[in-house]
Amino acid sequence: ARLYTEEDPVVILSSDSLKQTVLNSSSAWLLQFYSSWCGHCIQYSPTWKALAGDVKDWSQAIRIGVLDCAHEKNFDICKEFGIHFYPTFRYFKAHDTTNDFGKTYRGADRELQTVRQLMVNFLQNHTKHDWPVGCPPLDPARSEDILSLMGKKTEFYTAVIVEDKDSYIGREVILDLMPYEGLAVKRALSSDKLLMEKLGISSVPSAYLFYPNGTHTVMNVQKRLRFFFSSFLKLLPGVHRKQTNSALQRPQPGNNGQGTQVEWKEFEKSKVYMADLESGLHYLLRVELATHKTLEGEELKTFKDFVTVVAKLFPGRQSVVKLLETLLEWLVSLPLEKIPYDAILDLVNNKMRISGLYLSEQVQWVGCQGSSVALRGYPCSLWTLFHVLTVQAANRPDALANTGFEDDPLAVLQTMRRYIGTFFGCQECGKHFEEMAQESLNQVKSVDQAVLWLWRKHNQVNARLTGSMSEDPMFPKTQWPTPDLCPTCHEEQEGLHVWNEQMVLAFLKQHYGASNISPKYSSNSPDRPKTITKPNSNVHLNQNLKPSPDSAPKHQKRTDTNGAGEKHNGVQIEARPGMTFLGLGFSSVDMSLCVLLYALSCVFLMFMFFFFRFRSKRWKARNYRPYV
Ligand SMILES: Cc1cc2nc3c(=O)[nH]c(=O)nc-3n(C[C@H](O)[C@H](O)[C@H](O)COP(=O)(O)OP(=O)(O)OC[C@H]3O[C@@H](n4cnc5c(N)ncnc54)[C@H](O)[C@@H]3O)c2cc1C
């Protein structure tokens, strides 16, 4: 296998693309010419990938590429470029038309931080004439320019990183924020005493922030590290990733693409919202799965396992949990190998009118709302649901007792893997997720590791999707949790950001724990359960597939409902009349059958009565004995 794949944040070059990509480019390039059989190259590849991921946002200024000289079709180009040893590192300046073969880096130190700083130095070697397009100035700003911002209203924020002469933080933060709009980042040196005094800065590195409204203050970050400064700035209100051409064609924030404004709901990002989880379950059960006419074989098994895990672990409202439990009992009690999905829908829609079961049909995205209806929503809620479930499995070890999943730390992840692979509407996503699962899921040995595995993989997906079309400019894809949510989760080792996984685990358990789920915006249960009739489809509960009354939990009561049908979102909502008797709910079909059977049995009994009466009279007349 090749050392680098399309999944990695590096640009993979070949003889066909090398010259036209790298020479006279609008950005500078740092290339690694490697050989896939060379042991050093193999060992070094994780560092190179990490570096490329770390500087992904610098791509307008400098980009990272690889070319495999062991590939037959690259033999000639590697010869032409004079590559004799592997790996060879070459820098290519932006706008270089001299057709040269780049500048070789010969240093022995190839640590990530060293190479990253060399990239900054190399960028600064450009002149005014060949400066990479889109790369902001990296030299320190003049103190007059900074001080003139005091009290001045502008259209954007200005952040100033004040640092020592040898520090790279300022330049790295400037490059990190390059793809973002709504702010400008500058750097200043601590040797500028007047500036230090005017800004009231006594220790470095520090950051100072000028707000668009003319106010200004020292930036308050928990740790004075590059990652903390960059994250803080990326998350400022009004700061978002610049839109690409394709992203510009997307509906604008607050607009659903059809001219209708979407109502914005205020929310706290430190909370998980029950409305998101329930809306996700509604979409999953009534829309995504409903595209399957019947479930059988592996699909049915996957669905049953999914319902088992959710019914046992979902820390939701009683009405939803009861609905899931009833669905589970019904699925388990049914010996069928094939189930029409309409029958499942009938149960989800509580056609049996079992009181206390209800899953709202209203979609309410809160923490998962997007700046347009085309963004976020369901996939966000699905991630959230599975994070909640892994945390529940870790916090409540006995929850899966007697389900066949007890003692299985992989229960939630394997169920998620199979659900995503079988039913998730985005097939490509399913393929990627499966690749990640095949790669490392077998290393998960405990429920805590399962929580961390899902977090790690979600961040891997976030990194891949940074700047993609599915990124909501108001909710940029970041490595999560950001420092403002969990400062102790972040550390730095030799200039590289590292996670404190113990802290991450504690944070995930708190964030996705039941007590952090807010009921705000959750739709209330209706006074009566409603049934849905899809146009032109027979949705009457299939009598053969009715769950037997015994299969419903004993504590569940049935109730009657009354009311006329009503129209909602183009779907006919029909509330059929019914009644309760001895605490059991009966629909009108049940009632009609009862009356019919009652009438038939009356006729039958009358017939028997007259038949035997007539026979006994005849017998008496035939065998009349006056002396008996
Ligand atoms: C299994 C799966 C695979 C996917 N694969 C792809 C794909 O290959 N290509 C594609 O274009 N889209 C894919 N998607 C969709 C994509 O990941 C996002 O869900 C979607 O773009 C919406 O993004 P979002 O901004 O709402 O944040 P999401 O990534 O959906 O995250 C939702 C919320 O989870 C929290 N969060 C973020 N990161 C983490 C983390 N590491 N750990 C715990 N919580 C976190 C945040 O609060 C965030 O708001 C996939 C979705 C799923 C469920």
Side-chain angles (χ1 to χ4, degrees):
R2 304 273 158 207
L3 293 188
Y4 300 91
T5 69
E6 299 299 334
E7 293 293 295
D8 298 318
V10 294
V11 178
I12 299 173
L13 295 163
S14 68
S15 57
D16 302 333
S17 57
L18 176 65
K19 286 186 184 171
Q20 70 211 53
T21 309
V22 167
L23 303 180
N24 197 17
S25 161
S26 61
S27 65
W29 283 85
L30 172 56
L31 295 193
Q32 185 199 160
F33 293 85
Y34 73 99
S35 170
S36 40
W37 50 255
C38 134
H40 287 303
C41 305
I42 296 168
Q43 277 168 25
Y44 190 64
S45 62
T47 308
W48 197 250
K49 289 177 195 178
L51 172 72
D54 190 43
V55 299
K56 201 175 165 194
D57 281 340
W58 302 10
S59 65
Q60 275 179 290
I62 186 162
R63 305 190 70 182
I64 299 262
V66 284
L67 187 136
D68 183 2
C69 291
H71 198 303
E72 205 177 343
K73 77 175 197 180
N74 295 333
F75 284 173
D76 287 344
I77 197 88
C78 288
K79 210 161 125 194
E80 190 184 338
F81 274 66
I83 309 297
H84 302 299
F85 304 105
Y86 309 113
T88 291
F89 302 91
R90 289 265 171 95
Y91 292 105
F92 295 84
K93 274 191 157 186
H95 308 294
D96 192 353
T97 48
T98 54
N99 233 5
D100 73 357
F101 298 127
K103 188 173 179 310
T104 304
Y105 167 61
R106 296 185 199 279
D109 183 356
R110 292 166 183 173
E111 290 304 315
L112 192 151
Q113 189 180 7
T114 312
V115 181
R116 194 176 66 213
Q117 293 177 353
L118 280 165
M119 288 169 74
V120 174
N121 293 345
F122 178 66
L123 276 174
Q124 287 193 286
N125 275 342
H126 285 77
T127 64
K128 227 167 53 188
H129 303 293
D130 58 10
W131 193 253
V133 175
C135 179
L138 298 174
D139 285 337
R142 294 184 319 157
S143 47
E144 321 72 283
D145 293 343
I146 295 170
L147 294 174
S148 69
L149 293 169
M150 285 186 163
K152 192 165 139 192
K153 287 194 177 171
T154 51
E155 283 178 2
F156 47 82
Y157 298 87
T158 303
V160 182
I161 313 289
V162 186
E163 60 184 344
D164 283 336
K165 182 165 81 22
D166 299 330
S167 162
Y168 279 85
I169 290 187
R171 285 168 283 182
E172 289 172 347
V173 174
I174 292 174
L175 292 166
D176 286 345
L177 269 295
M178 247 171 52
Y180 288 79
E181 58 191 2
L183 96 162
V185 189
K186 298 175 188 294
R187 62 187 275 255
L189 297 184
S190 55
S191 52
D192 190 337
K193 297 292 172 220
L194 173 72
L195 185 76
M196 294 278 284
E197 196 184 308
K198 291 265 182 198
L199 300 184
I201 291 174
S202 51
S203 59
V204 288
S206 269
Y208 205 85
L209 190 59
F210 295 89
Y211 289 82
N213 64 5
T215 57
H216 46 92
T217 176
V218 173
M219 216 164 89
N220 193 10
V221 289
Q222 288 90 347
K223 294 183 193 170
R224 295 171 186 202
L225 302 172
R226 166 194 165 204
F227 187 78
F228 277 69
F229 289 128
S230 294
S231 292
F232 183 95
L233 295 172
K234 285 177 190 175
L235 295 170
L236 283 172
V239 171
H240 34 77
R241 197 172 268 280
K242 287 176 198 155
Q243 296 191 348
T244 55
N245 283 348
S246 45
L248 279 171
Q249 290 159 10
R250 289 190 302 227
Q252 291 308 299
N255 192 310
N256 69 3
Q258 291 143 27
T260 323
Q261 289 296 308
V262 178
E263 188 199 338
W264 188 254
K265 295 177 203 75
E266 292 305 324
F267 72 100
E268 290 171 55
K269 59 184 184 162
S270 58
K271 290 252 165 241
V272 171
Y273 286 84
M274 189 54 80
D276 287 325
L277 294 169
E278 287 186 2
S279 299
L281 273 178
H282 153 73
Y283 185 91
L284 182 149
L285 289 167
R286 293 200 180 99
V287 183
E288 187 161 75
L289 282 166
T291 57
H292 296 252
K293 265 194 141 88
T294 50
L295 296 182
E296 61 182 314
E298 261 314 295
E299 283 189 353
L300 184 56
K301 167 109 183 54
T302 300
F303 179 67
K304 276 186 184 170
D305 288 350
F306 173 80
V307 176
T308 306
V309 166
V310 186
K312 297 293 172 192
L313 294 175
F314 186 61
R317 293 192 283 178
Q318 229 203 345
S319 56
V320 179
V321 174
K322 269 170 92 179
L323 182 110
L324 291 165
E325 280 174 351
T326 310
L327 180 57
L328 175 61
E329 283 186 44
W330 180 69
L331 284 169
V332 170
S333 66
L334 267 185
L336 295 175
E337 284 172 5
K338 185 172 172 177
I339 301 182
Y341 198 77
D342 271 354
I344 293 169
L345 266 182
D346 285 344
L347 222 150
V348 173
N349 294 330
N350 194 11
K351 276 209 159 184
M352 294 292 287
R353 286 171 172 56
I354 302 169
S355 90
L357 307 197
Y358 177 68
L359 174 64
S360 172
E361 290 151 29
Q362 228 183 335
V363 173
Q364 290 269 15
W365 303 126
V366 183
C368 283
Q369 69 194 308
S371 60
S372 87
V373 284
L375 294 168
R376 308 193 75 224
Y378 177 59
C380 166
S381 71
L382 203 56
W383 277 120
T384 311
L385 174 68
F386 281 111
H387 286 300
V388 166
L389 296 178
T390 52
V391 164
Q392 284 299 303
N395 286 348
R396 293 167 46 211
D398 297 332
L400 289 173
N402 306 321
T403 60
F405 284 130
E406 54 273 11
D407 309 323
D408 180 3
L410 285 172
V412 176
L413 294 181
Q414 290 288 23
T415 306
M416 173 179 183
R417 174 186 186 176
R418 283 168 45 222
Y419 184 88
I420 297 290
T422 314
F423 298 116
F424 191 39
C426 168
Q427 270 192 337
E428 276 300 300
C429 307
K431 243 171 63 189
H432 284 135
F433 194 75
E434 179 54 32
E435 279 164 19
M436 295 195 295
Q438 276 183 16
E439 207 177 84
S440 56
L441 197 55
N442 59 1
Q443 290 159 18
V444 174
K445 302 286 181 233
S446 70
V447 279
D448 281 355
Q449 285 175 14
V451 174
L452 282 171
W453 185 89
L454 192 60
W455 158 76
R456 234 177 268 123
K457 296 300 143 187
H458 192 168
N459 267 346
Q460 213 168 305
V461 175
N462 292 346
R464 185 156 42 81
L465 298 182
T466 305
S468 72
M469 267 193 80
S470 59
E471 181 179 54
D472 189 326
M474 274 179 72
F475 298 91
K477 307 266 179 211
T478 53
Q479 293 302 286
W480 192 94
T482 44
D484 56 323
L485 283 177
C486 178
T488 50
C489 294
H490 301 266
E491 283 172 6
E492 200 174 275
Q493 269 172 20
E494 294 169 4
L496 183 65
H497 169 263
V498 287
W499 294 99
N500 180 330
E501 295 206 343
Q502 233 180 328
M503 288 297 160
V504 172
L505 180 63
F507 172 80
L508 291 170
K509 285 187 169 181
Q510 177 276 325
H511 183 80
Y512 287 113
S515 59
N516 196 40
I517 302 179
S518 164
K520 201 172 170 192
Y521 301 111
S522 304
S523 44
N524 292 324
S525 308
D527 299 337
R528 56 179 193 268
K530 289 171 176 173
T531 55
I532 290 189
T533 313
K534 287 186 286 177
N536 306 325
S537 75
N538 171 19
V539 289
H540 290 293
L541 185 66
N542 184 335
Q543 299 296 319
N544 297 329
L545 293 171
K546 263 189 189 176
S548 71
D550 299 343
S551 70
K554 296 277 179 287
H555 59 269
Q556 285 163 358
K557 286 186 177 170
R558 295 170 179 218
T559 185
D560 72 333
T561 54
N562 289 304
E566 62 182 276
K567 278 224 166 182
H568 180 67
N569 288 343
V571 182
Q572 175 76 31
I573 296 176
E574 172 196 284
R576 292 183 302 173
M579 67 169 289
T580 42
F581 178 65
L582 294 176
L584 299 175
F586 294 97
S587 71
S588 51
V589 177
D590 299 332
M591 296 299 296
S592 319
L593 278 173
C594 280
V595 171
L596 189 72
L597 280 173
Y598 179 74
L600 280 175
S601 41
C602 284
V603 170
F604 179 71
L605 283 173
M606 275 169 67
F607 169 78
M608 295 302 279
F609 172 76
F610 286 117
F611 173 76
F612 282 113
R613 209 186 135 108
F614 172 75
R615 262 186 47 161
S616 90
K617 270 194 177 167
R618 224 174 46 174
W619 186 85
K620 273 188 193 159
R622 245 194 238 156
N623 306 296
Y624 180 67
R625 306 272 190 277
Y627 50 86
V628 179

